[in-house]
């Protein structure tokens, strides 16, 4: 791993991920798909659903990106805004 990957890995293990939207994202049929919603999180509050297919983050296509690359685009500091297109 390079330095950034190592830092990201350590942060994921410790739970220090900044702000997330409260979903588990994975690939189904090569499409980025919401696999699970966490209770009382922003994704649930705005109406994202299990099986929604994520096509863009902040108006940038996620086609061809890995789950990890997409998660990095979604995460941010607590209190910031992210636009998810499904």
């Amino acid at each position: 791993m390079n330095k950034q990957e190592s830092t990201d890995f350590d942060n994921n293990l410790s739970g220090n991920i900044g702000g997330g939207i409260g979903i588990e994202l994975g690939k189904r049929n090569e499409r980025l798909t919401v696999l699970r919603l966490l209770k009382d999180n922003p994704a649930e509050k705005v109406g994202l659903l299990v099986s929604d297919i994520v096509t863009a983050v902040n108006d940038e296509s996620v086609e061809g990106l890995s789950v990890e690359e997409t998660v990095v685009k979604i995460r941010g500091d607590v209190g910031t805004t992210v636009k998810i297109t499904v």
Side-chain angles (χ1 to χ4, degrees):
M1 284 187 258
N2 66 33
K3 185 176 180 177
Q4 184 61 51
E5 291 169 334
S6 178
T7 299
D8 292 343
F9 181 76
D10 289 341
N11 285 339
N12 282 332
L13 286 178
S14 69
N16 183 19
I17 61 168
I21 62 170
I23 64 171
E24 179 182 336
L25 192 63
K27 282 213 175 180
R28 283 193 185 153
N29 300 317
E30 296 304 312
R31 299 169 122 184
L32 291 161
T33 306
V34 177
L35 302 179
R36 182 170 64 112
L37 291 169
L38 303 176
K39 292 267 185 214
D40 299 320
N41 277 291
E44 181 183 57
K45 292 175 184 172
V46 299
L48 278 179
L49 302 170
V50 170
S51 296
D52 278 346
I53 297 168
V54 177
T55 60
V57 176
N58 292 326
D59 295 322
E60 291 182 27
S61 174
V62 295
E63 184 177 341
L65 295 183
S66 69
V67 171
E68 294 79 16
E69 291 168 321
T70 304
V71 167
V72 167
K73 290 184 173 293
I74 293 171
R75 285 185 183 154
D77 293 330
V78 173
T80 58
T81 301
V82 63
K83 179 180 176 184
I84 308 293
T85 305
V86 296

